[in-house]
Amino acid sequence: MHPEVVSDHSGICPECGMVLELHTASLQQDDNTELTQMMFRLRICVLLSLPLLAITMSDFIPGMNLHHWLISPLSNWMQAALATPVVLWGGWPFFVRAGISFRTRRLNMFSLIGIGTGAAYLFSVAGLLFPLSLPAAFRMDGNVPLYFESAAVIVSLVLLGQVLELRARAKTSSAITSLLAMAPNTALLVQRDGTEKEVQLEEVNVGDLLRVRPGGRIPVDGVITEGTSNVDESMITGESMPVEKFPGSRVTAGTINQTGAFLFRAEKVGAHTLLAQIVQMVSEASHSRAPIQKLADRVSSWFVPGVIAVSFMAFVVWVLFGPSPVLSNALVVAVSVLIIACPCALGLATPISIMVGIGRGAQEGVLIKDAEALELMEKVDTLVVDKTGTLTEGAPKVQRVMGTAGFSESDVITYAAALEQLSEHTLAQAVVRHAQLHSLQLPPVKGFTSITGKGVSGEIAGRFITLGNSRLMQEQGADTSAVESEAQYLRESGHTVIYLCVARQFAGLLSVADPVKPSTMEAIRLLRASGLRIVMLTGDNATTAKAVASRLGLDDVVAEVLPEEKFKQVRLLQQQGRIVAVAGDGVNDAPALAAANVGIAMGNGTDVAMNSARVVLVKGDLRGIVKARLLSHGTMNNIRQNLFFAFVYNFLGVPVAAGLLYPLFGIVLSPMIASAAMSLSSVSVVSNALRLRKLSI
């Protein structure tokens, strides 16, 4: 299916002739699908083709000398009666698509099938109805040979190939449909009077209170308000170990509650749930095109016209130099060339592998948004990572509080938390949690401003407050020299230091430490072993950043950078000829994610980051990048195998069909054999792509 062909209604793709697929996967199956139609046509056509073959091939069965009967008018009319419904009814979809391809000047596999099958059938009809009007060069022993059985068997074999291909294509979306099936159809709504009512999933609204019992699937995304449990989130994260949940923990639609019952408040419903977004992203990515597809597109653009030309030249050569009856033999060769060269295998080679590969990634919590990103992942040689939330847990804690110039530790935390409660940054959340832990009352803030890459500011009780890094303090004219030795020690210990300024007077500092994720060390080791150069870009202080980078063994670190400077650093690496992937989770990472060859967002990050990225790691674990690279390598190898097979098949098949072996071995390829080979080539390509479902990543 060609992803650039989009329609608001069902129909036939003008590029490849296949029936258009739904852009977004659905569990609802239409009874009138292409597969159902093709299966029905195939059954009828096979029932008619088998006796047709028995009639025409009986002369080759020992002891059955029916030659005189086979060329009799009765036999000819029986062949026509059996073949006509097969060709005209069974093959009608192919002729319709062939007509569309010529009308739109977008020749495809059905163009060749239509010409080849139509020529064999129409010649046979002419030979049956007007035998005396045909030239003598068409005759054998005074009779005109008929090819009703070839036309009928070709249609039957093409139908068989279509059925096998459609069945295989259906399997490529199994990862998506299995995800869809994980969402329950109903939810247990807790009403205001405390009673419970089972409602359809569509009836759940944001803010509703829902109950989940042991063994039940969670219907929507939300936050637990009461109860504890262990939840199996493997379908989202790929992690087999259940995750402990308690009040305040987030739960995701489709995951399975294992042990305890709990209440939770719905936050995201319908198309806004993580599960629905995963399905949407995978569906869209499955219909995108990888750059390697351009090779197949370029070949296909001249391939079909080239095959028609080769078929015509083969016809001419056989007319001039072929054995008697020259015109009949020339027709057989021309039809065989047209049928065997159908470029369906070439057209399927890339998109089928992309669909299966992206579905396989989704099962492991690696969401690939487009095919180009999947192709580029194996070529990436430099990985740029943010620190907070990417290398670290993203759940920092306040470690040190210091007040100066008459400000107490309580004052420092109160002012800082009042400002930070309006910020989305993970460090801000740590400050707010610390204030809540000490039961501090936070005053209201007026004129809150987020100063990107530096800090925040606002007015509290008529005083202008700023909170941020040393650069912001310098801009405010606040003197921090009295605490610089302490601040330097904290940074060297891996802490992030935050300064507080009240009415342009330095008031104190806080230090926040964010532990490195347990999986980060292993991920860095695996990524470096695969040949990646790893660079940390962070807005954090240089000393703190270098302490973390040294501990993890990173290749380089650039600290105290603003979001636009991260963007410039990525561009600089690209100008050096590097293929760059950027992994981040915050708003400040969005420009760099968008600039990268491949942007990788942590699934626990902000919506802005995930929208800017081309790959999302649902679990927020850097080991997902290792999986993404293995997936890219396996998928691209599979595509190369498919393209190689498709090219070799046509490179060998067309000359053989044209009669290359006849001078040496006296072999002429029957159109029926050519049709079987064509169908087999498509099925082989699809079957090879399906192996990706078992790819170990």
Side-chain angles (χ1 to χ4, degrees):
M1 207 61 55
H2 288 253
E4 73 276 10
V5 177
V6 179
S7 174
D8 58 0
H9 59 275
S10 61
I12 295 173
C13 174
E15 290 286 347
C16 64
M18 297 287 287
V19 170
L20 293 173
E21 298 175 343
L22 285 173
H23 188 265
T24 303
S26 172
L27 286 175
Q28 301 299 321
Q29 297 296 329
D30 183 2
D31 291 334
N32 193 28
T33 61
E34 184 181 16
L35 178 57
T36 302
Q37 295 175 6
M38 290 293 181
M39 275 297 301
F40 179 68
R41 291 178 187 271
L42 176 62
R43 291 190 183 100
I44 301 301
C45 290
V46 168
L47 288 175
L48 295 174
S49 297
L50 288 176
L52 180 59
L53 275 175
I55 292 173
T56 56
M57 298 298 174
S58 59
D59 200 34
F60 298 96
I61 301 175
M64 296 185 67
N65 187 8
L66 303 178
H67 176 72
H68 294 292
W69 183 81
L70 289 173
I71 60 175
S72 68
L74 177 60
S75 172
N76 292 342
W77 282 102
M78 286 185 64
Q79 293 178 50
L82 291 169
T84 297
V86 174
V87 176
L88 299 186
W89 174 76
W92 181 249
F94 308 146
F95 291 119
V96 170
R97 296 171 193 182
I100 292 174
S101 72
F102 285 108
R103 187 175 69 248
T104 59
R105 297 181 182 179
R106 295 174 173 177
L107 304 184
N108 53 46
M109 60 174 286
F110 295 105
S111 311
L112 303 182
I113 293 171
I115 295 174
T117 308
Y121 177 76
L122 291 176
F123 171 77
S124 300
V125 170
L128 177 65
L129 299 178
F130 315 105
L132 299 178
S133 64
L134 296 177
F138 276 115
R139 303 175 185 277
M140 178 182 292
D141 299 330
N143 298 299
V144 177
L146 304 180
Y147 301 105
F148 284 119
E149 86 283 357
S150 293
V153 172
I154 288 172
V155 168
S156 298
L157 287 171
V158 173
L159 282 170
L160 175 62
Q162 290 289 291
V163 167
L164 294 175
E165 180 185 319
L166 288 168
R167 281 182 172 176
R169 286 171 69 93
K171 293 179 182 179
T172 64
S173 60
S174 60
I176 305 175
T177 53
S178 63
L179 283 174
L180 281 169
M182 288 180 175
N185 296 321
T186 61
L188 201 58
L189 175 66
V190 179
Q191 302 181 96
R192 291 185 178 181
D193 61 2
T195 60
E196 298 175 0
K197 177 184 177 182
E198 188 172 29
V199 297
Q200 293 297 310
L201 197 59
E202 295 78 13
E203 299 177 48
V204 177
N205 298 309
V206 173
D208 284 349
L209 194 63
L210 306 173
R211 181 180 296 280
V212 181
R213 293 170 177 156
R217 287 191 181 274
I218 297 168
V220 296
D221 294 357
V223 176
I224 294 179
T225 60
E226 180 183 321
T228 61
S229 183
N230 290 314
V231 176
D232 178 2
E233 297 184 333
S234 59
M235 51 80 67
I236 293 290
T237 65
E239 179 60 55
S240 59
M241 293 296 294
V243 180
E244 184 179 0
K245 299 291 183 179
F246 41 83
S249 298
R250 295 189 178 276
V251 289
T252 305
T255 56
I256 303 173
N257 181 33
Q258 289 192 333
T259 53
F262 59 82
L263 296 177
F264 78 100
R265 194 166 301 281
E267 286 194 335
K268 294 182 179 180
V269 301
H272 300 290
T273 66
L274 176 61
L275 179 62
Q277 291 175 351
I278 288 173
V279 171
Q280 180 66 25
M281 281 191 286
V282 174
S283 294
E284 291 179 354
S286 297
H287 291 87
S288 61
R289 296 171 80 79
I292 196 172
Q293 177 68 28
K294 295 177 181 178
L295 172 63
D297 291 343
R298 285 196 299 269
V299 173
S300 296
S301 65
W302 56 259
F303 184 78
V304 174
V307 167
I308 294 174
V310 170
S311 175
F312 177 76
M313 288 188 292
F315 181 86
V316 172
V317 170
W318 275 78
V319 167
L320 296 176
F321 306 106
S324 181
V326 291
L327 289 179
S328 291
N329 287 329
L331 178 64
V332 169
V333 168
V335 170
S336 295
V337 170
L338 291 172
I339 299 300
I340 201 170
C342 281
C344 42
L346 188 62
L348 289 169
T350 298
I352 287 292
S353 295
I354 291 293
M355 289 176 70
V356 181
I358 287 174
R360 179 71 184 95
Q363 292 177 321
E364 294 291 330
V366 179
L367 305 183
I368 312 290
K369 289 189 179 181
D370 61 73
E372 183 179 13
L374 181 61
E375 179 174 341
L376 285 173
M377 273 306 300
E378 72 164 357
K379 301 177 182 178
V380 168
D381 54 26
T382 302
L383 174 64
V384 173
V385 292
D386 178 44
K387 180 175 76 70
T388 305
T390 303
L391 296 175
T392 62
E393 291 280 5
K397 295 180 180 179
V398 174
Q399 304 292 333
R400 178 84 164 88
V401 181
M402 178 188 299
T404 63
F407 291 93
S408 67
E409 293 183 5
S410 178
D411 293 334
V412 173
I413 283 293
T414 299
Y415 282 130
L419 285 174
E420 295 286 40
Q421 67 180 337
L422 301 176
S423 173
E424 89 292 337
H425 200 280
T426 52
L427 295 181
Q429 296 168 12
V431 175
V432 174
R433 283 196 301 269
H434 189 78
Q436 292 172 341
L437 185 64
H438 290 79
S439 302
L440 297 176
Q441 294 297 319
L442 304 183
V445 178
K446 297 181 180 179
F448 173 82
T449 302
S450 177
I451 307 168
T452 305
K454 298 177 184 178
V456 294
S457 66
E459 185 179 321
I460 299 177
R463 309 173 81 178
F464 184 69
I465 313 294
T466 53
L467 182 74
N469 57 23
S470 58
R471 187 183 303 181
L472 183 59
M473 295 300 105
Q474 292 172 5
E475 293 178 359
Q476 295 296 313
D479 183 11
T480 62
S481 58
V483 296
E484 275 309 306
S485 59
E486 176 69 14
Q488 183 66 14
Y489 170 78
L490 292 171
R491 294 188 190 105
E492 290 173 353
S493 301
H495 293 209
T496 297
V497 177
I498 306 172
Y499 297 96
L500 177 71
C501 176
V502 178
R504 300 189 182 277
Q505 178 184 0
F506 178 62
L509 65 76
L510 308 90
S511 78
V512 180
D514 187 9
V516 173
K517 294 178 182 178
S519 60
T520 296
M521 290 292 290
E522 179 187 1
I524 295 297
R525 178 182 60 80
L526 293 172
L527 290 168
R528 293 196 67 184
S530 69
L532 280 182
R533 180 172 181 262
I534 304 177
V535 179
M536 180 202 294
L537 283 184
T538 178
D540 207 346
N541 176 270
T543 304
T544 303
K546 287 179 180 177
V548 175
S550 175
R551 177 183 171 189
L552 295 175
L554 305 184
D555 295 291
D556 197 5
V557 57
V558 182
E560 300 180 15
V561 290
L562 299 174
E564 59 268 27
E565 292 171 336
K566 287 187 177 184
F567 176 90
K568 292 176 182 177
Q569 287 289 334
V570 172
R571 288 295 190 213
L572 181 62
L573 289 168
Q574 291 171 331
Q575 290 169 8
Q576 296 171 0
R578 295 187 174 276
I579 299 177
V580 182
V582 173
D585 73 323
V587 174
N588 62 330
D589 299 315
L593 289 169
N597 298 94
V598 182
I600 304 171
M602 301 293 109
N604 53 354
T606 64
D607 290 341
V608 175
M610 285 190 278
N611 290 335
S612 301
R614 303 172 76 178
V615 177
V616 176
L617 306 181
V618 175
K619 192 180 177 184
D621 186 339
L622 281 180
R623 287 177 297 187
I625 301 178
V626 180
K627 292 184 177 182
R629 281 174 63 81
L630 290 172
L631 179 67
S632 174
H633 183 73
T635 303
M636 296 312 300
N637 277 346
N638 192 272
I639 289 174
R640 294 182 189 107
Q641 293 164 4
N642 284 346
L643 288 175
F644 175 80
F645 175 80
F647 281 129
V648 169
Y649 162 78
N650 284 292
F651 180 77
L652 297 177
V654 171
V656 170
L660 183 66
L661 300 180
Y662 182 79
L664 297 176
F665 306 104
I667 297 175
V668 179
L669 198 64
S670 162
M672 291 185 289
I673 301 300
S675 178
M678 180 269 293
S679 298
L680 181 62
S681 69
S682 299
V683 174
S684 298
V685 165
V686 174
S687 299
N688 185 51
L690 289 176
R691 293 191 305 111
L692 287 171
R693 294 190 301 169
K694 304 297 183 182
L695 181 67
S696 177
I697 59 175

